[in-house]
Amino acid sequence: MDNYPVLIVVAPLLAALLAGFAAWIEERLSYPIALLGLAVSTFAAFEVLMQVIFFGPIRYEMAGWPPPMGIEYRIDLLNAMVLLIVSGIAFLNLLASYESVNQEIGDRTGSFYSIYCLFVTGLLGVTATGDLFNLYVLIEITSLTSYAMVAMGDRDRGALASLNYVFIGVIGASFYLLGVGYLYIQTGSLNMTDVAIILQDYHGSSTVLTAFVLCMVGVWIKMAFFPLHAWLPNAYSYSPVVFLRVVAPLMTKVMIYVMIRLMITVFGFNYIFKTLNFADAVVILATVAIIFGGVMALAQKNLKKMLAYIIISEIGYMVGGVWMGNQLGMTGAILHILNDALMTFAVFLGVGNIIYQLKDVDFSNLGGLFGKMPWTMAGFVLAAFSIIGIPPTCGFFSKWYLIMGAFEKGAYHFAIALIISSLICAVLFFRVFEICFFPSSSQDNKQKDVHAPGKIEEAPVSMLIVSGFVSLSLIVVGLFSGTIVNMIILPFLT
Amino acid sequence: MTDLLALIVAKYNYWLYVILMMIGLYAMIAKNNLIKKLVGMNIFQTAIILFYISIGYKKNATLPIIENVHGTGGGHIYAIDYINPLPHVLMLTAIVVSVATFGVAMALAVRVYQRYKTLEEDELRMRLSEK
């Protein structure tokens, strides 16, 4: 079927609309509608990936208007992979979330599912589109829905965290929009491939330089790259866990994808690494981001906040890998998009199960969890191993490529930061394991008696199955990472 | 000096948008009241909209509505006679986005006010640190 590329994006959009309407008639209807929409989207994304692998990139002209006038969806190996990651994780998360949503959102489940689908639509659109302005609009759809979602979370702090997120988010998107404006002044086009062709003649132009810097700063704000990261920990740790499980793995990763797309397709490596010469500075920033994220994570007393800082550190991995400018670093960064999405998802599935039973994840409440929730903790441990980077889990392989890339480039500080960060992650997670392994001390028991009289049980089966499936996929993806690199990443890069 | 003045006068639209943008950014960073910050945010977005509008403009050009082009006597059509409509159309979308953002942010401000009975940032910070 020729229309799979657009079906990926349209299915969740329709589901968002219908789920919203259905909630007026009967609140229970919205869940199956949302699930169906995302299932269709995942299936279409899978088909598109197969088509792209076997028959090459797809160009889909929206409503039959040929580019550069019309909007075009251009899907090559990189987006096809990211599309499958996004739709797959969103679908699996929804599969696992029915009980969590009922518990956490309560009386507004209809609007929750509607916004959830809209959020996924935004992410998928950002990934699929080949038009610079369309990308901006879809980024804003994603951001607007995530503002609403964050506000649905913590009753005390949610709204304030979300408002601060709005301020930063608007600045980020506006910078990107401004960058697109300068590109438009210089090229008169908004289609990515078209812009790239025209730009080849303007490598010395200061307009292009301005456009490049503005676009990059905008995207960095959106992905929470180191000096621009301040919004992330609060926004993420006060959002409802069902949303956290999808925003933490996907939002930042999709923004990394946008950065790679802008660098490879629009501006081109020749421009960035030959004409401009601040790639080294960005790699140093990435190094600082890795160390900073790790150190801040050490200082946290809440599992959600600790993981939020680990995300900041992981963003440093990918940005550094991309800006290394060699094939190994790039391979590592792209592979890490896949691996990091999966392992962050897996670790937050564990967190979600714990929150479902405990209501919060301060370290002081986690005592004895291995005894009470063995299956959840098994998944959590696998995910943690992958984040630390223990073979054969997938986190090891992308880190390996990144370190090789750093050595090839001579960026030893980056390689050292990667290794230190792995050690910090090991310390962090083994501390969590230690807390979870031993029953809490008497003082904590007293506190626990008040709200949950010692009867923590395992999470619902649907949550456990998804958690187990994703955690096992970490090992499977790890074992097949050679195949993934050879089938998807290397053909894309060469 | 005269060169600089000439540069400023010739490209005054860019200077105007930069000044507006900085006013907005200043309000977002320095103001204490959340609603003032929101207004700053809106000024910031409007500056970018003005920037786009101004890059579509040409001197001595008219609206891009082409008369008689399908009928008789159309004659030749020269792009130089018409201002560029594309940035303007893009900004319709951007205006919708900024209105939506503003709406969401206002709703959030209402939520914050209901919870804490204040919109001043320093008071909010005090309330939060009390707990």
Side-chain angles (χ1 to χ4, degrees):
Chain A
M1 216 166 96
D2 295 336
N3 290 328
Y4 278 132
V6 73
L7 196 63
I8 299 175
V9 181
V10 166
L13 181 65
L14 279 179
L17 191 70
L18 292 176
F21 282 136
W24 287 343
I25 305 162
E26 172 63 64
E27 195 106 47
R28 273 175 307 177
L29 285 177
S30 12
Y31 179 68
I33 293 175
L35 202 59
L36 182 70
L38 291 176
V40 171
S41 176
T42 311
F43 173 73
F46 181 74
E47 289 288 321
V48 165
L49 180 65
M50 289 302 135
Q51 276 185 29
V52 173
I53 287 179
F54 293 114
F55 306 108
I58 302 174
R59 310 186 70 139
Y60 185 88
E61 294 165 5
M62 273 293 170
W65 287 81
M69 291 301 143
I71 291 172
E72 163 192 54
Y73 276 13
R74 192 169 172 285
I75 300 182
D76 55 20
L77 284 164
L78 177 62
N79 341 23
M81 184 185 89
V82 179
L83 281 172
L84 187 59
I85 297 172
V86 171
S87 53
I89 286 185
F91 172 68
L92 284 175
N93 180 38
L94 205 58
L95 210 56
S97 325
Y98 185 67
E99 280 91 357
S100 270
V101 174
N102 283 344
Q103 185 201 45
E104 221 174 355
I105 312 289
D107 50 342
R108 293 165 297 169
T109 49
S111 44
F112 176 87
Y113 290 123
S114 179
I115 299 178
Y116 183 91
C117 286
L118 209 53
F119 174 75
V120 180
T121 310
L123 288 177
L124 291 168
V126 167
T127 317
T129 190
D131 184 278
L132 288 166
F133 189 78
N134 200 228
L135 185 69
Y136 162 74
V137 175
L138 287 157
I139 286 180
E140 281 295 43
I141 291 176
T142 319
S143 310
L144 278 170
T145 44
S146 51
Y147 305 148
M149 282 289 201
V150 173
M152 275 188 179
D154 191 294
R155 302 225 172 237
D156 271 354
R157 310 277 296 259
L160 196 56
S162 172
L163 201 54
N164 286 326
Y165 182 20
V166 172
F167 291 135
I168 308 279
V170 163
I171 294 179
S174 299
F175 271 128
Y176 173 76
L177 180 60
L178 209 53
V180 173
Y182 279 101
L183 271 183
Y184 181 73
I185 291 179
Q186 188 63 275
T187 63
S189 176
L190 291 168
N191 183 284
M192 286 181 191
T193 37
D194 199 33
V195 168
I197 293 168
I198 301 172
L199 271 188
Q200 282 169 356
D201 300 333
Y202 295 105
H203 274 185
S205 153
S206 57
T207 315
V208 178
L209 176 65
T210 318
F212 180 68
V213 172
L214 284 171
C215 285
M216 281 300 133
V217 172
V219 177
W220 285 342
I221 292 178
K222 285 281 180 192
M223 74 172 71
F225 183 49
F226 163 60
L228 312 166
H229 65 275
W231 57 271
L232 188 141
N234 272 344
Y236 280 13
S237 48
Y238 296 125
S239 64
V241 72
V242 187
F243 178 63
L244 179 63
R245 287 198 302 226
V246 63
V247 76
L250 298 184
M251 181 84 170
T252 48
K253 254 51 73 182
V254 167
M255 288 303 146
I256 300 269
Y257 157 77
V258 172
M259 185 181 75
I260 296 178
R261 172 64 62 199
L262 288 175
M263 286 172 70
I264 289 187
T265 308
V266 181
F267 291 93
F269 266 25
N270 273 338
Y271 177 65
I272 296 165
F273 293 106
K274 298 230 171 88
T275 316
L276 308 178
N277 47 6
F278 51 82
D280 290 338
V282 179
V283 175
I284 291 177
L285 266 185
T287 310
V288 180
I290 294 171
I291 301 290
F292 172 86
V295 172
M296 287 302 285
L298 278 174
Q300 303 306 316
K301 298 231 171 344
N302 181 303
L303 192 56
K304 268 187 186 177
K305 277 233 163 118
M306 180 190 107
L307 292 170
Y309 279 102
I310 292 183
I311 293 174
I312 291 176
S313 169
E314 302 276 340
I315 290 162
Y317 290 19
M318 285 172 275
V319 176
V322 173
W323 281 81
M324 214 81 78
N326 54 23
Q327 199 177 12
L328 280 169
M330 202 70 193
T331 311
I334 295 175
L335 188 61
H336 206 67
I337 290 182
L338 167 67
N339 293 347
D340 193 42
L342 278 178
M343 64 206 194
T344 317
F345 183 46
V347 85
F348 275 110
L349 277 170
V351 173
N353 291 0
I354 298 171
I355 287 181
Y356 181 77
Q357 299 294 3
L358 285 183
K359 308 293 180 287
D360 78 80
V361 282
D362 281 335
F363 285 160
S364 54
N365 295 337
L366 296 180
L369 273 183
F370 273 101
K372 289 162 189 156
M373 307 174 76
W375 294 105
T376 300
M377 289 316 286
F380 185 81
V381 168
L382 261 179
F385 279 1
S386 181
I387 290 180
I388 298 168
I390 298 173
T393 52
C394 58
F396 169 76
F397 295 96
S398 44
K399 243 178 219 180
W400 182 252
Y401 278 107
L402 287 171
I403 291 178
M404 297 291 281
F407 277 123
E408 192 186 297
K409 161 95 178 166
Y412 298 106
H413 53 87
F414 187 70
I416 293 169
L418 280 175
I419 293 164
I420 293 179
S421 155
S422 300
L423 290 178
I424 293 180
C425 283
V427 172
L428 284 169
F429 280 110
F430 279 99
R431 190 175 60 168
V432 175
F433 297 160
E434 189 198 337
I435 297 170
C436 296
F437 203 78
F438 298 107
S440 28
S441 56
S442 57
Q443 173 200 356
D444 286 334
N445 272 337
K446 223 186 292 167
Q447 190 191 2
K448 202 167 278 168
D449 284 339
V450 182
H451 48 96
K455 263 199 271 175
I456 304 166
E457 285 164 8
E458 193 51 281
V461 183
S462 63
M463 295 163 88
L464 285 180
I465 291 175
V466 174
S467 174
F469 175 74
V470 177
S471 303
L472 287 180
S473 79
L474 292 175
I475 295 180
V476 176
V477 170
L479 292 177
F480 286 95
S481 54
T483 322
I484 295 172
V485 169
N486 288 329
M487 294 257 297
I488 297 178
I489 300 174
L490 286 182
F492 169 73
L493 288 175
T494 45
Chain B
M1 187 64 199
T2 47
D3 284 357
L4 186 67
L5 266 179
L7 190 71
I8 291 177
V9 173
K11 310 217 160 148
Y12 67 94
N13 55 332
Y14 297 115
W15 293 102
L16 272 180
Y17 107 79
V18 168
I19 292 169
L20 261 183
M21 211 172 134
M22 289 305 122
I23 293 174
L25 200 59
Y26 168 78
M28 283 169 87
I29 293 168
K31 289 293 171 188
N32 194 27
N33 186 299
L34 288 178
I35 298 295
K36 284 185 182 164
K37 284 189 165 199
L38 283 185
V39 174
M41 180 182 93
N42 221 17
I43 296 174
F44 188 83
Q45 287 175 313
T46 313
I48 293 173
I49 292 172
L50 278 177
F51 162 72
Y52 266 83
I53 299 293
S54 73
I55 62 177
Y57 180 74
K58 290 176 197 162
K59 273 201 176 131
N60 299 324
T62 181
L63 298 175
I65 298 170
I66 299 171
E67 280 179 52
N68 294 328
V69 72
H70 298 298
T72 50
H76 287 297
I77 293 168
Y78 297 104
I80 200 155
D81 295 334
Y82 300 97
I83 58 176
N84 183 356
L86 187 82
H88 300 186
V89 179
L90 295 181
M91 282 310 103
L92 284 180
T93 318
I95 289 169
V96 173
V97 168
S98 83
V99 168
T101 319
F102 198 60
V104 170
M106 288 289 250
L108 292 172
V110 170
R111 280 275 301 273
V112 171
Y113 186 77
Q114 282 171 346
R115 177 69 186 76
Y116 296 103
K117 297 287 174 245
T118 178
L119 285 172
E120 302 293 328
E121 273 219 311
D122 49 355
E123 288 177 30
L124 282 172
R125 218 170 288 133
M126 260 162 51
R127 294 280 174 81
L128 289 175
S129 58
E130 272 168 19
K131 290 195 297 180

